[in-house]
Short mmCIF file of all heavy atoms in Angstrom, two decimals:
data_model
loop_
_atom_site.label_atom_id
_atom_site.label_comp_id
_atom_site.label_asym_id
_atom_site.label_seq_id
_atom_site.Cartn_x
_atom_site.Cartn_y
_atom_site.Cartn_z
N ALA A 16 92.29 104.21 110.11
CA ALA A 16 92.11 103.20 111.15
C ALA A 16 92.11 103.84 112.54
O ALA A 16 92.97 104.65 112.86
CB ALA A 16 93.19 102.14 111.05
N ALA A 34 75.85 98.80 104.86
CA ALA A 34 76.33 99.41 103.63
C ALA A 34 76.33 98.38 102.51
O ALA A 34 76.55 97.19 102.73
CB ALA A 34 77.75 99.95 103.82
N GLN A 42 67.80 90.34 98.70
CA GLN A 42 66.79 89.45 99.26
C GLN A 42 67.00 89.28 100.75
O GLN A 42 66.05 89.37 101.55
CB GLN A 42 66.84 88.08 98.57
CG GLN A 42 65.80 87.11 99.10
CD GLN A 42 65.82 85.77 98.38
OE1 GLN A 42 66.52 85.60 97.38
NE2 GLN A 42 65.06 84.82 98.88
N VAL A 70 71.21 101.07 98.96
CA VAL A 70 70.27 100.47 99.91
C VAL A 70 68.98 101.29 99.88
O VAL A 70 69.00 102.48 100.17
CB VAL A 70 70.83 100.44 101.34
CG1 VAL A 70 69.85 99.69 102.26
CG2 VAL A 70 72.21 99.80 101.39
N LEU A 72 65.24 102.14 101.39
CA LEU A 72 64.54 102.06 102.67
C LEU A 72 63.23 101.27 102.46
O LEU A 72 62.34 101.74 101.76
CB LEU A 72 64.24 103.47 103.18
CG LEU A 72 63.73 103.58 104.61
CD1 LEU A 72 64.80 103.14 105.59
CD2 LEU A 72 63.29 105.00 104.91
N PRO A 73 63.10 100.09 103.07
CA PRO A 73 61.89 99.29 102.88
C PRO A 73 60.71 99.83 103.71
O PRO A 73 60.89 100.62 104.63
CB PRO A 73 62.30 97.90 103.36
CG PRO A 73 63.39 98.15 104.34
CD PRO A 73 64.10 99.39 103.90
N MET A 74 59.53 99.36 103.37
CA MET A 74 58.32 99.88 104.00
C MET A 74 58.34 99.73 105.51
O MET A 74 57.90 100.62 106.24
CB MET A 74 57.09 99.16 103.43
CG MET A 74 56.80 99.48 101.97
SD MET A 74 56.27 101.20 101.75
CE MET A 74 54.69 101.15 102.61
N PHE A 79 60.34 104.73 111.15
CA PHE A 79 61.51 105.15 111.93
C PHE A 79 62.44 106.05 111.12
O PHE A 79 63.59 106.24 111.49
CB PHE A 79 62.28 103.91 112.40
CG PHE A 79 61.41 102.84 113.00
CD1 PHE A 79 61.06 101.71 112.26
CD2 PHE A 79 60.91 102.97 114.29
CE1 PHE A 79 60.24 100.73 112.80
CE2 PHE A 79 60.09 102.00 114.83
CZ PHE A 79 59.75 100.87 114.09
N GLN A 97 81.72 108.02 107.00
CA GLN A 97 80.35 107.68 107.38
C GLN A 97 80.32 106.40 108.22
O GLN A 97 79.58 106.31 109.21
CB GLN A 97 79.49 107.54 106.13
CG GLN A 97 79.28 108.86 105.39
CD GLN A 97 78.77 108.67 103.97
OE1 GLN A 97 78.63 107.56 103.49
NE2 GLN A 97 78.51 109.77 103.29
N ARG A 121 84.14 93.89 104.20
CA ARG A 121 83.29 94.73 105.04
C ARG A 121 83.66 94.58 106.52
O ARG A 121 83.72 95.56 107.25
CB ARG A 121 81.82 94.40 104.82
CG ARG A 121 80.88 95.45 105.38
CD ARG A 121 80.82 96.69 104.51
NE ARG A 121 80.10 96.42 103.28
CZ ARG A 121 80.36 97.00 102.11
NH1 ARG A 121 81.33 97.88 102.01
NH2 ARG A 121 79.67 96.72 101.03
N GLU A 124 86.79 96.55 107.12
CA GLU A 124 86.53 97.99 107.24
C GLU A 124 85.93 98.33 108.59
O GLU A 124 86.38 99.27 109.27
CB GLU A 124 85.62 98.44 106.10
CG GLU A 124 86.26 98.36 104.73
CD GLU A 124 85.28 98.56 103.59
OE1 GLU A 124 84.06 98.36 103.80
OE2 GLU A 124 85.72 98.91 102.49
N LEU A 127 88.70 97.87 111.42
CA LEU A 127 89.78 98.86 111.46
C LEU A 127 89.26 100.24 111.82
O LEU A 127 90.05 101.12 112.18
CB LEU A 127 90.50 98.90 110.12
CG LEU A 127 91.36 97.66 109.82
CD1 LEU A 127 91.98 97.75 108.44
CD2 LEU A 127 92.44 97.47 110.88
N LEU A 134 77.35 89.54 111.55
CA LEU A 134 77.46 89.16 110.15
C LEU A 134 76.71 87.88 109.86
O LEU A 134 76.51 87.04 110.75
CB LEU A 134 78.94 88.92 109.78
CG LEU A 134 80.00 89.88 110.29
CD1 LEU A 134 81.39 89.33 109.96
CD2 LEU A 134 79.81 91.25 109.66
N THR A 137 78.99 83.38 106.43
CA THR A 137 79.49 82.79 105.18
C THR A 137 80.74 81.97 105.46
O THR A 137 81.34 82.06 106.55
CB THR A 137 79.83 83.89 104.16
OG1 THR A 137 80.91 84.68 104.68
CG2 THR A 137 78.63 84.78 103.89
N ASP A 157 65.02 86.35 113.86
CA ASP A 157 65.14 86.25 115.32
C ASP A 157 66.60 86.28 115.76
O ASP A 157 66.93 86.87 116.80
CB ASP A 157 64.48 84.96 115.81
CG ASP A 157 62.97 84.97 115.65
OD1 ASP A 157 62.40 86.07 115.47
OD2 ASP A 157 62.36 83.89 115.69
N TRP A 159 69.10 87.77 114.21
CA TRP A 159 69.58 89.15 114.06
C TRP A 159 69.11 90.01 115.23
O TRP A 159 69.90 90.76 115.81
CB TRP A 159 69.10 89.74 112.73
CG TRP A 159 69.95 89.35 111.57
CD1 TRP A 159 69.70 88.40 110.63
CD2 TRP A 159 71.23 89.91 111.23
NE1 TRP A 159 70.73 88.32 109.72
CE2 TRP A 159 71.69 89.24 110.07
CE3 TRP A 159 72.02 90.90 111.80
CZ2 TRP A 159 72.91 89.53 109.47
CZ3 TRP A 159 73.25 91.20 111.19
CH2 TRP A 159 73.67 90.52 110.05
N LEU A 215 96.82 86.43 85.74
CA LEU A 215 95.43 86.74 85.44
C LEU A 215 94.74 87.12 86.75
O LEU A 215 94.72 86.36 87.71
CB LEU A 215 94.72 85.53 84.82
CG LEU A 215 93.22 85.70 84.56
CD1 LEU A 215 92.97 86.80 83.54
CD2 LEU A 215 92.60 84.38 84.10
N PHE A 220 84.47 94.08 88.76
CA PHE A 220 84.71 95.40 88.17
C PHE A 220 86.18 95.74 88.30
O PHE A 220 86.92 95.15 89.09
CB PHE A 220 83.87 96.47 88.87
CG PHE A 220 82.38 96.25 88.74
CD1 PHE A 220 81.62 95.98 89.87
CD2 PHE A 220 81.75 96.31 87.52
CE1 PHE A 220 80.25 95.77 89.77
CE2 PHE A 220 80.40 96.10 87.41
CZ PHE A 220 79.64 95.83 88.53
N VAL A 237 97.02 95.28 92.26
CA VAL A 237 97.62 95.19 90.93
C VAL A 237 98.63 96.31 90.72
O VAL A 237 99.74 96.10 90.20
CB VAL A 237 96.53 95.23 89.84
CG1 VAL A 237 97.15 95.40 88.46
CG2 VAL A 237 95.69 93.96 89.89
N VAL A 250 100.22 91.66 83.59
CA VAL A 250 98.96 91.45 84.29
C VAL A 250 97.78 91.64 83.34
O VAL A 250 97.70 92.67 82.66
CB VAL A 250 98.81 92.39 85.49
CG1 VAL A 250 97.47 92.16 86.18
CG2 VAL A 250 99.95 92.18 86.47
#
Side-chain angles (χ1 to χ4, degrees):
Q42 181 178 352
V70 185
L72 190 66
M74 292 292 294
F79 313 101
Q97 293 164 356
R121 195 76 72 212
E124 293 169 338
L127 289 177
L134 317 172
T137 64
D157 292 343
W159 277 101
L215 176 64
F220 298 115
V237 169
V250 179

